[in-house]
Amino acid sequence: MTLDRRTVLALSGALVAGAAGCLGSGDDDGSNDDDTGSGADDGTGRQPDDGFDGYDVPEFPQLDLVTDPDVDEAALAAQVRGNVAFTLALLERLREEEPAENLFVSPYSVSVALAMTYAGARGETAEGMADALRFELEGEELHAAFGALEDEFARRNEDGEEVEQPFDDAGDENDGPAFQLNTANALWGQEGYGFREAFLELLEAYYGAGMQLVDFAGDAEAAREEINAWVEAETNDRIEDLLQEGDVSDLTRLVLTNAIYFLAPWRHDFDPAETAPGPFTGLDGEETEVDLMHQTAELRYAEVEGHQLVELPYANRDTSMVVILPAEGEFEAFEERFSVDRLAIMLEEMSQPEVDLTFPKFGIESRFSLLEVMADLGMPLAGDFSGMDDEGGLEIGEIVHQSFVEVDEEGTEAAAATAVVMDESAPADHVEMVVDRPFLFYIRDRPTETPLFWGRVVDGETLQEE
């Protein structure tokens, strides 16, 4: 790529790849002190929401890394908002199926896998995919931005070596795990099939997605096992059996895969001696005893109309978890009206008081078929994918996403993978926040403003199952 570093960072920040929320680069604890830009529609198809009563909606997001005069900041800001809107629409559709279940997903992984698929779409099919995924950039400009983001994550992972033994604010050594942020892409194509060289070269150039030849037609099961083995290796064995029996067949000609793995210690870790059993009230009103961690630290925090938000930085300072705790008894109403504007207001209201935080240890594993979900969002599954091959007869047969997260006193481990199967057609100075009821959270990469994972916790009974 010929992009200079400033432009790379700017495009990376804009292409949040299915972002669940966007924060500015701010200070070491994730502050975002500058005003930001917003549009009129969140793009989810719901009635536009101007945010909370009595609060002015700030501009959102801020692209303070854009210095190249040739970069259109308004277009990039629109792209960020579009990706946030895609994530909100995706989450809304997923929770409709199991509204009382915990959920965890990587919008980044889904977007990358489908952006690679989009590279082979043409005509109305490409337009439909772009609309469903809320892409604002087009063609090679879009893929270059995704490639820049992948490169930036690779650099972030290299810098993570510096925090293998992070230190807390008192200068004491913290024996937490080393920081890792790994992403990988790969193509799995039918041997002897006529894939277009331009398609393969584009995905190799911008996504590092080399072609692995397999024999779906002769032995689909062996091909499935090979793909699954790659996913397991790239996610530190956290994502197993991504593709299950029946997901690929002798009609499969191509599978596009993305895998992401994240491991990071907290900047302010929780003392295990302060972890104790306590009640967590689920969405159904039932109380379950869970292990609740505790810490008191200066953290980025906001409270708007009784809804609380706190940011927990990781030791490398470039990533953080943002926890959103709706007011008691208002989780469903909050989630239903949650929008880009509401997120922007909460981020704008952040200050850095001493926070007395109680937060549950938890683990979530999720697996979804996104075929109907993406169709409901308006994405064509069949149509013109002639940019992939010489035959022009491929269609999306399955979209599979699987994810994992574990949060404890030391930090967070998370992983996710996505496979797209192409078949031949045939406030105060001291505040308290007790997370003992349904909440939302996401993990972000701060310098590129990229939310990597998103989750909702509503059921305490399965929260800490081994």
Side-chain angles (χ1 to χ4, degrees):
M1 283 172 285
T2 60
L3 303 175
D4 62 75
R5 179 169 176 76
R6 288 285 184 181
T7 305
V8 164
L9 289 172
L11 291 172
S12 299
L15 254 288
V16 293
C22 302
L23 302 174
S25 53
D27 64 14
D28 289 341
D29 280 328
S31 64
N32 183 15
D33 297 325
D34 297 299
D35 289 341
T36 49
S38 83
D41 189 349
D42 71 1
T44 63
R46 298 177 302 206
Q47 185 71 23
D49 185 358
D50 292 331
F52 297 99
D53 293 339
Y55 289 85
D56 293 330
V57 178
E59 293 185 350
F60 178 80
Q62 175 199 357
L63 298 179
D64 58 354
L65 294 173
V66 176
T67 58
D68 190 328
D70 294 330
V71 175
D72 186 342
E73 293 191 29
L76 296 183
Q79 179 64 58
V80 172
R81 290 182 62 86
N83 281 307
V84 174
F86 163 68
T87 299
L88 296 179
L90 176 65
L91 293 169
E92 183 175 26
R93 179 61 181 81
L94 289 174
R95 70 174 181 263
E96 285 177 357
E97 298 186 3
E98 297 289 348
E101 299 294 326
N102 299 329
L103 181 154
F104 186 63
V105 65
S106 172
Y108 174 78
S109 179
V110 174
S111 287
V112 169
L114 288 173
M116 291 193 295
T117 309
Y118 167 77
R122 296 292 183 268
E124 292 182 358
T125 303
E127 293 175 5
M129 292 189 71
D131 289 343
L133 292 163
R134 279 46 170 192
F135 290 156
E136 292 293 333
L137 303 177
E138 297 180 353
E140 193 156 348
E141 186 180 17
L142 174 75
H143 301 300
F146 271 107
L149 190 57
E150 294 276 293
D151 291 344
E152 184 63 17
F153 287 164
R155 184 198 65 76
R156 187 93 67 255
N157 191 57
E158 293 173 0
D159 291 349
E161 295 177 358
E162 300 175 4
V163 296
E164 288 188 9
Q165 299 296 331
F167 291 83
D168 61 23
D169 290 342
D172 298 324
E173 190 170 358
N174 180 348
D175 293 326
F179 173 82
Q180 294 183 53
L181 174 54
N182 301 323
T183 66
N185 303 301
L187 307 177
W188 311 84
Q190 172 66 42
E191 56 188 26
Y193 192 77
F195 295 105
R196 292 188 182 276
E197 283 301 318
F199 171 70
L200 300 180
E201 290 173 359
L202 186 149
L203 296 194
E204 172 66 32
Y206 294 119
Y207 299 90
M211 172 64 83
Q212 311 294 320
L213 296 177
V214 293
D215 187 11
F216 293 112
D219 193 345
E221 182 63 16
R224 181 180 74 88
E225 291 177 355
E226 185 175 345
I227 296 170
N228 284 344
W230 177 87
V231 170
E232 290 179 27
E234 294 294 340
T235 59
N236 199 30
D237 298 329
R238 288 303 189 179
I239 304 298
E240 299 179 351
D241 298 323
L242 173 67
L243 293 174
Q244 299 184 353
E245 289 188 18
D247 286 341
V248 298
S249 70
D250 58 357
L251 292 177
T252 300
R253 294 296 174 262
L254 177 67
V255 175
L256 305 95
T257 53
N258 168 270
I260 180 170
Y261 179 75
F262 176 85
L263 179 69
W266 303 116
R267 184 182 176 199
H268 311 283
D269 57 1
F270 294 82
D271 184 350
E274 295 191 38
T275 298
F280 183 94
T281 303
L283 199 58
D284 58 4
E286 294 293 321
E287 281 193 1
T288 305
E289 187 174 272
V290 301
D291 289 335
L292 295 172
M293 306 181 293
H294 182 264
Q295 69 168 245
T296 301
E298 290 188 3
L299 300 170
R300 300 292 297 170
Y301 171 88
E303 182 171 350
V304 177
E305 296 185 355
H307 310 300
Q308 294 174 286
L309 177 149
V310 69
E311 181 179 8
L312 305 177
Y314 293 103
N316 76 322
R317 303 175 187 236
D318 279 341
T319 53
S320 64
M321 176 183 288
V322 176
V323 180
I324 304 167
L325 181 66
E328 189 166 2
E330 297 183 28
F331 180 85
E332 291 173 298
F334 178 91
E335 193 174 35
E336 178 66 26
R337 297 189 64 193
F338 190 59
S339 65
V340 179
D341 287 344
R342 289 188 164 224
L343 176 59
I345 288 171
M346 296 192 79
L347 298 178
E348 180 73 9
E349 292 298 308
M350 291 176 78
S351 60
Q352 193 160 334
E354 181 179 72
V355 179
D356 186 1
L357 177 66
T358 301
F359 189 57
K361 295 172 61 173
F362 65 91
I364 303 174
E365 294 186 27
S366 296
R367 186 180 191 276
F368 309 99
S369 169
L370 298 180
L371 199 65
E372 292 185 8
V373 171
M374 293 309 302
D376 288 347
L377 292 178
M379 195 185 85
L381 304 178
D384 187 355
F385 289 98
S386 60
M388 293 184 176
D389 65 348
D390 295 325
E391 307 294 329
L394 295 182
E395 63 183 18
I396 299 176
E398 183 59 279
I399 306 170
V400 181
H401 181 78
Q402 191 168 333
S403 54
F404 159 91
V405 65
E406 186 171 286
V407 177
D408 61 18
E409 292 89 349
E410 293 182 352
T412 302
E413 183 180 20
T418 306
V420 181
V421 179
M422 303 298 300
D423 291 335
E424 228 175 354
S425 32
D429 292 336
H430 180 91
V431 297
E432 183 177 5
M433 182 170 174
V434 180
V435 185
D436 61 353
R437 57 183 187 271
F439 64 92
L440 308 173
F441 70 96
Y442 62 91
I443 298 168
R444 66 161 183 153
D445 177 75
R446 289 177 53 219
T448 63
E449 300 187 353
T450 302
L452 305 169
F453 302 89
W454 177 277
R456 72 193 294 260
V457 176
V458 299
D459 176 21
E461 186 172 353
T462 62
L463 203 57
Q464 296 168 359
E465 290 182 347
E466 296 296 332

